[in-house]
């Protein structure tokens, strides 16, 4: 990738996650939220990736971390699920600015639900509708393609499905009046390219498959070196065979570090640790990465 499209540095702060750092004052919740601070020359941009599902807990953590909502320049919603989007309207009100860019896939407001055990809608809640987001100061940029947030940070857009083992299961939607399997095409990630380091991939849940995402990021940027992957890898209900295959395929990419939690699952975290050793760490609220 050309030097003009590389960050000088990147800071990632984990504002929300299912677990918290040991002996910390933070509040956990089922969901994730990351603050990305990209620096290039004298320019700094602060990008919020997802908002978890509990605004009070998220804002409490931000106060403890001395992170001001008003400093946020843009928000990326990685996919439709409530544990990544619930409370975005509250967050926009806290930011208190007009025309805050909100980047997502055009299908993010569709119905999304599960029917095993019982019917349960798991998509965006009515309180966080398109209309309410815009009333609260959000300016929606809905695109199936990549979106450049600043030179060196972009979204993946729809992720090309290349592997045969990373399937989406259990999620439903309604299309043309019929219930059908939802392939989660709205699942996007954020990719940063840092000078002298390579790619840093920030995921929400990796419904598209983390191997697919990693390969897509390499093709998208032209940078073959992955410095790190952070976020949810959605292997919590995956078979042992899929978990092992995922670990094997990522190991081939010579990644410097992986930090995974939320929907990754304990068995997958164990497999990652056994293969990557000190290069792997579980994700926790309160973590901070300087790249």
């Amino acid at each position: 990738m050309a030097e003009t499209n590389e960050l000088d540095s990147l800071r990632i702060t984990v504002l929300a996650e299912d677990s918290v750092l040991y002996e910390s004052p933070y509040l956990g919740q089922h969901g994730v939220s990351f603050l990305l601070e990209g620096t290039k020359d004298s320019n700094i941009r602060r990008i919020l990736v997802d908002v978890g599902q509990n605004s009070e807990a998220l804002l409490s953590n931000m106060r403890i971390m001395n992170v001001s909502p008003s400093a946020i320049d843009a928000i990326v919603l990685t996919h439709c699920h409530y544990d990544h989007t619930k409370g975005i309207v509250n967050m926009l009100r806290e930011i208190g600015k007009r025309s805050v860019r909100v980047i997502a896939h055009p299908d993010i407001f569709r119905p999304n639900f599960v029917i095993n055990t019982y019917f349960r809608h798991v998509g965006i809640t009515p309180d966080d509708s398109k209309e309410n987001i815009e009333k609260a100061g959000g300016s929606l940029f809905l695109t199936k393609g990549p979106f450049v947030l600043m030179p060196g940070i972009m979204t993946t857009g729809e992720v090309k499905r290349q592997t045969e083992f990373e399937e989406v299961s259990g999620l439903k939607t309604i299309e043309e009046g019929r219930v059908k399997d939802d392939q989660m095409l709205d699942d996007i990630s954020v990719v940063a390219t840092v000078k002298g380091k390579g790619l840093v991939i920030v995921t929400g849940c990796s419904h598209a498959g983390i191997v697919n995402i990693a390969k897509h990021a390499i093709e998208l940027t032209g940078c073959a070196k992955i410095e790190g992957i952070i976020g949810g890898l959605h292997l919590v209900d995956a078979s042992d065979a899929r978990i092992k295959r995922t670990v094997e395929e990522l190991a081939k990419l010579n990644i410097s570090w992986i930090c995974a939690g939320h929907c990754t699952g304990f068995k997958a975290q164990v497999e990652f640790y056994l293969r990557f050793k000190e290069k792997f760490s579980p994700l926790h609220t309160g973590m901070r990465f300087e790249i």
Side-chain angles (χ1 to χ4, degrees):
M1 172 171 277
E3 187 174 272
T4 54
N5 291 329
E6 294 178 325
L7 298 174
D8 295 327
S9 64
L10 174 69
R11 172 186 287 175
I12 302 173
T13 304
V14 185
L15 301 177
E17 207 270 334
D18 295 46
S19 61
V20 301
L21 283 172
Y22 181 64
E23 290 192 339
S24 74
Y26 306 120
L27 299 176
Q29 59 175 290
H30 176 61
V32 292
S33 180
F34 303 98
L35 178 66
L36 276 54
E37 297 173 272
T39 301
K40 181 172 177 58
D41 301 325
S42 58
N43 296 316
I44 300 176
R45 290 292 179 269
R46 295 175 177 87
I47 300 156
L48 188 66
V49 180
D50 289 342
V51 295
Q53 65 160 307
N54 188 310
S55 290
E56 291 184 13
L58 177 59
L59 291 166
S60 174
N61 292 342
M62 291 174 72
R63 285 191 292 270
I64 295 169
M65 297 176 196
N66 293 316
V67 174
S68 172
S70 63
I72 293 168
D73 298 302
I75 300 174
V76 174
L77 298 178
T78 62
H79 62 294
C80 65
H81 287 159
Y82 71 95
D83 52 323
H84 298 259
T85 61
K86 190 174 181 181
I88 184 174
V89 168
N90 290 340
M91 178 55 67
L92 286 165
R93 290 171 181 152
E94 291 289 334
I95 291 171
K97 296 186 285 193
R98 303 303 303 174
S99 299
V100 178
R101 289 172 296 169
V102 179
I103 297 92
H105 188 280
D107 295 340
I108 195 166
F109 295 102
R110 74 194 182 287
N112 186 263
F113 53 93
V114 294
I115 56 175
N116 38 327
T117 310
Y118 61 94
F119 168 84
R120 183 165 58 96
H121 186 256
V122 294
I124 290 179
T125 63
D127 288 344
D128 294 309
S129 66
K130 179 179 184 291
E131 293 74 21
N132 287 345
I133 287 172
E134 291 173 335
K135 286 178 184 177
S139 181
L140 285 160
F141 288 79
L142 304 178
T143 174
K144 293 183 179 181
F147 189 94
V148 177
L149 293 134
M150 70 178 292
I153 303 181
M154 67 193 306
T155 65
T156 58
E158 278 189 15
V159 174
K160 184 166 65 175
R161 311 300 168 96
Q162 305 182 49
T163 65
E164 79 283 358
F165 64 93
E166 294 183 296
E167 76 287 345
V168 177
S169 62
L171 293 163
K172 304 289 183 180
T173 189
I174 297 174
E175 204 170 275
E176 297 179 351
R178 294 182 182 276
V179 175
K180 60 172 288 187
D181 292 338
D182 195 325
Q183 297 303 312
M184 296 299 296
L185 296 181
D186 67 319
D187 184 78
I188 64 174
S189 295
V190 178
V191 181
T193 311
V194 183
K195 189 182 300 180
K197 293 289 187 178
L199 303 181
V200 178
I201 301 171
V202 182
T203 72
C205 268
S206 304
H207 288 287
I210 189 56
V211 178
N212 284 329
I213 293 167
K215 290 182 176 181
H216 184 82
I218 290 170
E219 293 178 7
L220 192 63
T221 62
C223 178
K225 175 66 178 74
I226 298 179
E227 166 68 13
I229 293 175
I230 180 171
L233 306 187
H234 213 273
L235 296 168
V236 63
D237 294 320
S239 66
D240 291 350
R242 176 175 172 177
I243 291 171
K244 289 180 183 296
R245 181 74 183 277
T246 301
V247 173
E248 288 170 4
E249 293 298 323
L250 290 180
K252 294 176 183 177
L253 298 177
N254 193 29
I255 301 165
S256 298
W257 55 268
I258 296 175
C259 183
H262 180 48
C263 55
T264 301
F266 177 70
K267 286 200 295 183
Q269 287 179 321
V270 170
E271 290 295 332
F272 274 106
Y273 176 72
L274 291 174
R275 184 61 180 265
F276 286 85
K277 300 299 183 184
E278 71 281 352
K279 292 182 179 181
F280 174 78
S281 59
L283 188 65
H284 297 299
T285 306
M287 283 180 155
R288 181 165 285 172
F289 300 80
E290 303 278 355
I291 304 135

